[in-house]
Amino acid sequence: MKNTCENFRFVEEGRFERDLTFKFYADGRLVIVDNIAEEVISPKDLRGKSRDFYVRKRIAFIKNKLIASQLKYA
């Protein structure tokens, strides 16, 4: 299986400024990098708009993977 990756950048402005990079791998792994602190964080550390962004992208990623599987085995 190819180890492809989808990268998304999210910049949250306001009270808590965050610059995050979300990496969704084809095998289901997820890496979230805080670009300001230069460290990897977990989804439980997300709050507000960044958490909403993560949830929406995760759902879209799962839907696309399901559609690809259906087309592959149809």
Side-chain angles (χ1 to χ4, degrees), residues 68-74:
S69 293
Q70 287 176 339
L71 293 174
K72 182 178 179 181
Y73 296 110

Side-chain angles (χ1 to χ4, degrees), residues 1-19:
M1 173 186 248
K2 289 191 275 183
N3 200 11
T4 59
C5 175
E6 290 185 48
N7 293 313
F8 298 98
R9 186 169 180 199
F10 179 77
V11 178
E12 184 175 3
E13 296 177 1
R15 186 174 171 189
F16 299 105
E17 290 188 18
R18 291 187 116 168
D19 181 3

Side-chain angles (χ1 to χ4, degrees), residues 8-64:
F8 298 98
R9 186 169 180 199
F10 179 77
V11 178
E12 184 175 3
E13 296 177 1
R15 186 174 171 189
F16 299 105
E17 290 188 18
R18 291 187 116 168
D19 181 3
L20 305 172
T21 299
F22 294 83
K23 297 181 179 186
F24 293 94
Y25 290 91
D27 63 1
R29 289 184 303 128
L30 167 71
V31 176
I32 304 171
V33 179
D34 184 337
N35 297 319
I36 296 172
E38 297 181 355
E39 63 184 14
V40 176
I41 62 172
S42 68
K44 69 179 182 176
D45 297 327
L46 300 174
R47 302 219 182 336
K49 292 179 182 178
S50 60
R51 183 167 182 86
D52 184 54
F53 178 83
Y54 159 70
V55 169
R56 289 179 190 273
K57 290 297 181 185
R58 187 66 165 177
I59 290 170
F61 181 78
I62 292 168
K63 282 182 180 179
N64 289 337

